[in-house]
Amino acid sequence: MKSAVLFSGGKDSVMALFYSINQGDDVQYLLSIESVNKESYMFHVPNIHLTDLMSEALDIPLIKAVTDGEKEKELDDLKIELANLKELGIEVIYTGALFSTYQKSRIEKLCNEVGLKAISPFWHKDPREYMELVLSSGFKVIIGGVYAEGLDKSWLGKEIDRVALDDLIKISEKTYLHLAFEGGEAETLVIDGPIFKKRIEIIDSKIDWHRDSGNFHVLDAKLVDK
């Protein structure tokens, strides 16, 4: 099938892309929606500007749109892009939704309205098994934002490797932390993996921390041959 992926550059959209490729789909486009409103209910915000570089690293064309990010109205902007993908011959849209009914139900409704099939391949997968799969698949994931109890400034920019995942498991046993961050506890950025033709090297960054939450902003990055 001719497919496209709703793509933020975070672990979940990359895993959805990985799944689509492994299914044998012809992945023709990545679709990124950049929200002006940093508190968007629908769209990933931290380091969304890097999807251009990731598109090049993955060698898959990127369609990028901007929304004001106003609750519910931002769906109109997404629907326009989905309709455009339908016109381009796309048959199915993959999403990285794991547990957010708010996002999944709205995406499915829009896809149905424009005549596309929506697939969320890891919907309700056990969080620990899912994170284990992300690591065992060979993806290099760093944390781009933390917003939950148990996650302090030291986590910003940190790679989620085996040791880090073990630490997250321990934290989740003491708090309400969702291991896959589906409750908005953290945001991620994938900088390398088996489907990347080139890896992303971060050249410059800054940490923005406010009392109990913060973001890791990538200011400059480049592609490096593997």
Side-chain angles (χ1 to χ4, degrees):
M1 287 191 294
K2 293 181 179 179
S3 70
V5 179
L6 285 178
F7 192 77
S8 68
K11 61 177 175 55
D12 302 331
S13 63
V14 171
M15 286 296 288
L17 170 61
F18 187 50
Y19 181 92
S20 181
I21 291 172
N22 286 339
Q23 285 292 105
D25 291 339
D26 177 9
V27 184
Q28 297 201 340
Y29 299 101
L30 307 175
L31 172 61
S32 292
I33 309 292
E34 185 170 355
S35 175
V36 174
N37 174 19
K38 303 309 178 186
E39 305 298 326
S40 169
Y41 281 76
M42 279 294 298
F43 304 116
H44 174 110
V45 172
N47 297 307
I48 189 69
H49 63 286
L50 290 177
T51 54
D52 295 276
L53 197 63
M54 296 184 74
S55 167
E56 188 178 346
L58 292 160
D59 194 27
I60 301 174
L62 174 71
I63 295 175
K64 199 169 189 178
V66 177
T67 179
D68 287 336
E70 186 176 345
K71 188 177 181 182
E72 297 301 334
K73 288 186 178 181
E74 61 190 350
L75 297 174
D76 295 335
D77 298 317
L78 176 57
K79 185 175 181 178
I80 289 171
E81 299 307 322
L82 293 175
N84 288 339
L85 286 171
K86 174 67 175 178
E87 289 294 318
L88 290 170
I90 297 302
E91 302 167 272
V92 58
I93 300 291
Y94 283 86
T95 89
L98 299 177
F99 286 88
S100 174
T101 301
Y102 179 90
Q103 292 178 328
K104 182 174 182 286
S105 63
R106 283 159 176 77
I107 292 169
E108 289 179 347
K109 180 176 182 293
L110 293 177
C111 284
N112 184 61
E113 288 174 357
V114 302
L116 292 170
K117 182 179 181 180
I119 297 177
S120 301
F122 299 106
W123 182 246
H124 280 188
K125 186 173 180 64
D126 177 81
R128 182 168 179 170
E129 290 180 7
Y130 176 70
M131 293 302 290
E132 296 277 5
L133 179 61
V134 173
L135 292 187
S136 65
S137 296
F139 290 102
K140 186 171 183 178
V141 182
I142 64 173
I143 294 182
V146 294
Y147 324 100
E149 180 185 359
L151 298 177
D152 59 22
K153 186 177 180 180
S154 69
W155 283 92
L156 291 174
K158 188 172 186 176
E159 181 183 350
I160 305 178
D161 56 13
R162 180 69 258 177
V163 173
L165 180 55
D166 287 342
D167 288 341
L168 288 171
I169 291 170
K170 292 175 184 176
I171 292 171
S172 71
E173 291 170 349
K174 299 177 182 178
T175 69
Y176 290 103
L177 177 73
H178 188 287
L179 268 182
F181 310 140
E182 186 68 355
E185 296 91 343
E187 296 285 6
T188 59
L189 173 68
V190 182
I191 57 176
D192 197 9
I195 55 177
F196 282 63
K197 305 297 190 294
K198 295 183 178 181
R199 64 180 177 84
I200 295 173
E201 180 179 297
I202 297 172
I203 300 171
D204 191 19
S205 63
K206 74 171 183 177
I207 288 176
D208 185 15
W209 184 258
H210 299 284
R211 285 189 288 185
D212 58 359
S213 63
N215 293 293
F216 176 78
H217 299 285
V218 177
L219 302 178
D220 193 16
K222 67 178 182 180
L223 297 182
V224 178
D225 291 333
K226 299 172 65 172

